[in-house]
Amino acid sequence: MIETKNSTRRVTMISSISEMKEVSQSIQKQNLTIGLVPTMGCLHEGHLSLIKRSLESCDKTVVSIFVNPTQFGPNEDLDSYPRPLESDIEKLDEMGVDILFHPSKEEMYPTGYKTFVEIKNITEQLCGKSRPDLFQGVATIVLKLFNIIQPQNAFFGEKDWQQLAVIENLVKDLNLDVAIIRVPLVRESDGLAMSSRNRYLSVQERQSALSLSRTLQKAQDQIRQGITSAKTINNLIQKRLLETEGAKIDYISICDPVNFKEKEQIRGRTLIALAVKIGPSRLIDNCIIEEI
Ligand code: PAF
């Protein structure tokens, strides 16, 4: 356990796997439930909504903060990913989180580490297309966290829709005893989806970033008015994003929300998902069109 200078600190900080396992086992022995909120830190309201759900429904809440190197590609932002640990701890303290699990890279991936989890068929599209390492890294670290912490419930945000699908399949296919709780995406008051990467944006870029949620809103309006052609909606989204200063489209997908197959007609439950690079940040956003 890490000694802290702050005597008012209530959250227990654990950085070793063996200690985390011991603490989890002793919680289970008391017949108490554990809720896990896995994060990479730089906590925002989106994370806090996951933590709130865990605090409400589980006896003990563990938040993990670990910037997982295996889910970043070679030219991605691993080194510059924000790591404001002290302010994260303050937030966890304020909320009454029981345990912060904050292992080092060496603890999670010691020299000689060899094992990775591969999930097929739902990881080749959307974010997995331009970030081929992403979901293998996510599935691997999440499985490790589940094995170490043994939570009954784990909380994930719907902003990372495809990540949630990957984790749900991981749990189902590998018969894991953990319930995955989906928590809706949280937006800033002007509509921007909360993301740790928003803090890279300049004032101008942040203005451009609003284009993602506004375009999704516009697409939903058009669909409500009766347009069902995915191509027409895709063209509308593309046009609006191309008009946005500094925006580079990674993907626009109008697809099935479970298997991510592209749709020609917007019928049945449909996911519209976007990834757009604005300045240094690659931003994602999505919305669900319920059955029409
Ligand atoms: O969503 C995230 O922050 C990460 O992908 C996760 C689930 C914590 C795994 O590193």
Side-chain angles (χ1 to χ4, degrees):
M1 207 173 298
I2 297 173
E3 288 297 324
T4 64
K5 282 180 231 123
N6 186 343
S7 58
T8 63
R9 188 160 286 166
R10 288 161 301 170
V11 61
T12 302
M13 291 175 56
I14 299 178
S15 58
S16 102
I17 293 174
S18 59
E19 187 182 357
M20 185 67 244
K21 280 187 167 180
E22 266 170 41
V23 170
S24 287
Q25 280 157 14
S26 97
I27 295 173
Q28 318 273 13
K29 276 202 192 114
Q30 300 168 60
N31 276 329
L32 298 175
T33 55
I34 300 178
L36 169 65
V37 182
T39 82
M40 299 205 297
C42 195
L43 303 176
H44 52 66
E45 289 296 326
H47 296 114
L48 305 191
S49 75
L50 305 176
I51 295 172
K52 196 160 167 282
R53 285 286 301 276
S54 176
L55 289 166
E56 283 163 3
S57 55
C58 303
D59 297 316
K60 297 283 176 193
T61 291
V62 180
V63 173
S64 62
I65 295 184
F66 179 66
V67 182
N68 174 33
T70 64
Q71 71 188 75
F72 288 77
N75 299 316
E76 294 181 7
D77 56 347
L78 173 62
D79 292 339
S80 60
Y81 197 86
R83 293 166 169 86
L85 186 60
E86 274 306 310
S87 75
D88 283 349
I89 295 172
E90 272 169 34
K91 288 178 188 153
L92 299 180
D93 249 346
E94 265 169 40
M95 293 192 78
V97 166
D98 300 284
I99 296 165
L100 164 61
F101 181 52
H102 177 55
S104 66
K105 191 175 90 192
E106 292 70 28
E107 184 76 357
M108 292 305 260
Y109 298 110
T111 309
Y113 186 89
K114 295 178 190 66
T115 306
F116 292 90
V117 181
E118 191 186 341
I119 293 179
K120 291 183 192 285
N121 298 331
I122 55 161
T123 53
E124 297 81 8
Q125 316 82 336
L126 284 69
C127 289
K129 197 167 182 184
S130 53
R131 302 185 66 195
D133 302 317
L134 175 62
F135 291 119
Q136 179 173 295
V138 168
T140 302
I141 194 66
V142 168
L143 179 59
K144 283 171 71 71
L145 291 168
F146 287 173
N147 283 335
I148 295 164
I149 299 164
Q150 298 285 323
Q152 278 68 44
N153 297 311
F155 298 80
F156 293 88
E158 289 188 328
K159 180 177 153 247
D160 296 290
W161 190 277
Q162 193 178 13
Q163 167 170 286
L164 247 166
V166 165
I167 292 162
E168 285 169 341
N169 279 276
L170 171 82
V171 167
K172 179 162 70 73
D173 292 348
L174 298 185
N175 314 101
L176 305 180
D177 284 327
V178 51
I180 302 302
I181 315 293
R182 296 179 152 252
V183 181
L185 188 157
V186 179
R187 299 185 179 279
E188 306 271 1
S189 56
D190 57 7
L192 181 65
M194 298 259 178
S195 164
S196 304
R197 291 182 167 104
N198 288 350
R199 62 160 62 195
Y200 299 146
L201 299 168
S202 68
V203 175
Q204 173 55 49
E205 286 160 355
R206 198 189 171 292
Q207 193 57 31
S208 294
L210 287 176
S211 179
L212 276 80
S213 56
R214 291 186 177 161
T215 301
L216 284 174
Q217 198 57 55
K218 183 83 193 154
Q220 289 175 82
D221 293 344
Q222 298 284 306
I223 294 165
R224 245 178 257 124
Q225 283 169 30
I227 299 181
T228 57
S229 155
K231 192 161 193 271
T232 307
I233 297 296
N234 195 311
N235 287 346
L236 170 124
I237 295 174
Q238 192 175 6
K239 181 166 179 293
R240 287 181 71 107
L241 292 176
L242 288 174
E243 282 164 7
T244 303
E245 196 182 319
K248 284 200 197 85
I249 302 171
D250 176 353
Y251 67 77
I252 301 166
S253 179
I254 301 178
C255 62
D256 181 286
V258 175
N259 60 25
F260 305 116
K261 290 217 165 71
E262 291 295 316
K263 290 196 176 192
E264 284 182 14
Q265 289 297 317
I266 303 172
R267 295 223 176 85
R269 215 164 174 250
T270 302
L271 172 72
I272 308 186
L274 311 175
V276 180
K277 192 140 195 261
I278 310 262
S281 299
R282 181 179 171 284
L283 304 177
I284 57 172
D285 202 341
N286 69 65
C287 68
I288 283 284
I289 310 293
E290 293 300 343
E291 211 136 321
I292 47 171

